[in-house]
Amino acid sequence: MRNTLTKCLALINKPSSLGWFMLVIVAGALLRLAVAQRGFNFDIASYRIVADIMANGGNVYEETQRYNYGPIWFHILAFLDTLPFPISDPLLSLRWKVTSFLSITDIAIAVCLYRWYGFKIATLFFLNPISIIITGYHSQFDNLAILMALISIKTLDNSSNKLSYKTLLGLFLLGVCLSIKHLLFLFPFWLAFKNTRWRDKLITLSIPYTVFLASFLPYLSKGADGILNHVFLYRGFANAPFWNGVAPEVIIDKIPIFVLFIGTLLFLGLFLRTKKPLESLYLYTIALVIFSSAVANQYLAICLVAISVHSNYIYTLYSVAGTIYLLASSDGLHFSLLQHYLGKSGNSSVIGYQELVFLLFLGLLLQLMSAETRTKTLHLVKKYILCLKQEIIMQIKSPW
């Protein structure tokens, strides 16, 4: 009887229960909608332009420079724009629909994490303030690409050394992911490095890229220039926080930063080729944010699934610092009090992109260390901190 009662109490108090998870989902969704009350930024205005072009039967790539992705997202915008909504203003109406859609996308990611890893990791992702702010205020759709990436990599057949039909389906879905937003534009190479036969490598590369390129065919006749200039050649703000903050000038003066970015990602894909595909996906998203040649606010959320799965105290510091930055950022929630003390630019504020990607870099190093190396490193750091503390005390206590 006592054992039965203990088991019942354990089941009731178990934090990974479905009831607690549903509570987290409700709280996280409400927080995203609450953040949306703060307003919106440039991207929502761009979405309104794109939705109007679609409503008039136009070619998005021909008629605007403010769309830099594959075609799937503008079809989603066109669909959302047709849904009835109580707000009559077309801009605000679309803004709330996009926020709601992206919140549902975050919920889908959280459900995947809950099923695969449990309550803790799903909660770390869904209640991460960076995710809440980027979805609720910024309304960028990187999370939709991440969701499709998770589904595609989970579909891959990891049990076979040969390409099965299941693997081919996973590669096709990876192409769909690229057609949503090409965050994973080099990830097919990471997968190809794992193959042992050249035929398999070529198939692994060709399927995702073929699906991605084929998605532009219906818009090519009138939108070819826009597709070339505003999608394939688009580079964003080349602020390169990691390279400008860490790399010696002699390197960045001689080698274009975009080449350093591409080369580093390819090298890491080769170096980490023994990792399982899903683990590689997590590492890729972290490396993408760290070494990118251009970082904006929405990039800070790309790695959140990965750092939730592989949480450590440095990743926690990244989330805290990133939240503070987004609260102050002029492209974030722009709270004036925080802007007064911290600044409001990602390149010049007290907490900016350089500090954030450096924290992410340290977290990645800690993640890649073996447990033994991590323990030795932490012990060494504690030892030096203790020595420094003792030295400072001795200096203070020095006689007159």
Side-chain angles (χ1 to χ4, degrees):
M1 180 68 180
R2 185 178 179 182
N3 290 337
T4 303
L5 182 60
T6 302
K7 289 180 180 179
C8 290
L9 289 173
L11 185 61
I12 292 172
N13 295 323
K14 189 178 180 182
S16 56
S17 66
L18 183 59
W20 282 108
F21 178 63
M22 293 302 296
L23 184 62
V24 165
I25 292 299
V26 171
L30 290 176
L31 285 170
R32 283 162 173 78
L33 295 177
V35 165
Q37 301 280 350
R38 188 65 183 168
F40 55 87
N41 60 12
F42 180 85
D43 288 325
I44 290 295
S46 298
Y47 296 163
R48 183 66 263 169
I49 293 171
V50 169
D52 288 339
I53 293 172
M54 292 294 291
N56 295 323
N59 187 320
V60 172
Y61 297 113
E62 178 189 17
E63 298 183 34
T64 182
Q65 302 178 10
R66 292 171 65 166
Y67 189 85
N68 316 113
Y69 326 105
I72 291 178
W73 179 243
F74 64 62
H75 284 289
I76 293 175
L77 289 175
F79 169 73
L80 293 175
D81 198 37
T82 62
L83 297 177
F85 201 76
I87 298 177
S88 59
D89 184 279
L91 180 62
L92 292 178
S93 175
L94 183 62
R95 187 263 182 284
W96 283 103
K97 293 173 188 177
V98 169
T99 300
S100 301
F101 177 81
L102 295 179
S103 296
I104 293 171
T105 302
D106 278 345
I107 291 173
I109 294 175
V111 169
C112 290
L113 296 178
Y114 177 75
R115 292 188 61 186
W116 300 342
Y117 304 107
F119 174 81
K120 177 184 174 182
I121 289 174
T123 302
L124 284 175
F125 164 75
F126 197 64
L127 293 186
N128 189 303
I130 295 176
S131 175
I132 291 170
I133 294 171
I134 295 301
T135 294
Y137 177 83
H138 201 104
S139 295
Q140 263 290 345
F141 56 100
D142 303 78
N143 60 346
L144 183 60
I146 294 296
L147 174 62
M148 182 55 66
L150 290 171
I151 295 172
S152 68
I153 301 306
K154 267 292 188 177
T155 305
L156 293 176
D157 187 1
N158 298 325
S159 61
S160 175
N161 292 326
K162 297 182 180 180
L163 294 179
S164 64
Y165 288 114
K166 191 176 178 182
T167 300
L168 296 178
L169 175 60
L171 293 173
F172 174 84
L173 293 176
L174 183 58
V176 175
C177 169
L178 295 177
S179 301
I180 295 171
K181 195 170 187 181
H182 43 286
L183 301 175
L184 274 67
F185 69 106
L186 288 178
F187 192 66
F189 282 94
W190 283 48
L191 295 178
F193 290 146
K194 301 178 188 300
N195 298 129
T196 56
R197 298 187 302 181
W198 272 105
R199 183 184 67 181
D200 294 344
K201 293 178 186 292
L202 293 175
I203 292 174
T204 300
L205 290 172
S206 62
I207 292 178
Y209 292 132
T210 299
V211 172
F212 175 58
L213 294 173
S215 68
F216 294 100
L217 290 178
Y219 317 97
L220 200 58
S221 60
K222 295 182 178 180
D225 288 342
I227 293 170
L228 176 63
N229 294 316
H230 305 141
V231 179
F232 289 96
L233 298 181
Y234 178 75
R235 292 292 178 266
F237 302 106
N239 48 7
F242 177 84
W243 300 107
N244 287 322
V246 175
E249 287 190 16
V250 66
I251 293 179
I252 59 178
D253 284 346
K254 300 294 183 182
I255 305 175
I257 288 178
F258 188 72
V259 174
L260 290 172
F261 168 44
I262 299 297
T264 302
L265 283 186
L266 290 175
F267 169 77
L268 287 174
L270 185 62
F271 178 72
L272 300 169
R273 66 187 182 278
T274 57
K275 302 287 185 181
K276 293 182 178 180
L278 190 59
E279 184 68 18
S280 293
L281 175 64
Y282 296 148
L283 291 168
Y284 177 93
T285 57
I286 296 172
L288 177 69
V289 179
I290 295 172
F291 301 109
S292 179
S293 56
V295 171
N297 285 2
Q298 67 268 23
Y299 273 58
L300 304 181
I302 292 173
C303 61
L304 292 185
V305 172
I307 68 172
S308 298
V309 173
H310 295 286
S311 59
N312 58 47
Y313 69 92
I314 298 182
Y315 286 154
T316 301
L317 286 176
Y318 167 82
S319 293
V320 172
T323 300
I324 294 172
Y325 165 71
L326 289 174
L327 289 173
S329 170
S330 58
D331 291 325
L333 298 189
H334 54 274
F335 285 106
S336 56
L337 178 63
L338 291 173
Q339 288 180 345
H340 177 73
Y341 291 103
L342 299 177
K344 56 185 179 179
S345 168
N347 297 311
S348 61
S349 57
V350 174
I351 299 175
Y353 295 141
Q354 286 190 358
E355 291 77 17
L356 293 172
V357 298
F358 186 65
L359 281 174
L360 206 55
F361 177 68
L362 293 179
L364 179 62
L365 291 180
L366 187 61
Q367 177 186 334
L368 292 175
M369 287 181 184
S370 64
E372 183 181 356
T373 304
R374 190 182 304 128
T375 302
K376 289 181 179 178
T377 302
L378 291 175
H379 177 73
L380 192 63
V381 170
K382 290 179 181 178
K383 180 181 177 180
Y384 278 112
I385 291 176
L386 182 60
C387 290
L388 179 61
K389 178 183 176 181
Q390 292 173 345
E391 182 62 32
I392 292 173
I393 292 174
M394 288 177 61
Q395 292 293 331
I396 293 174
K397 292 183 176 181
S398 297
W400 286 98

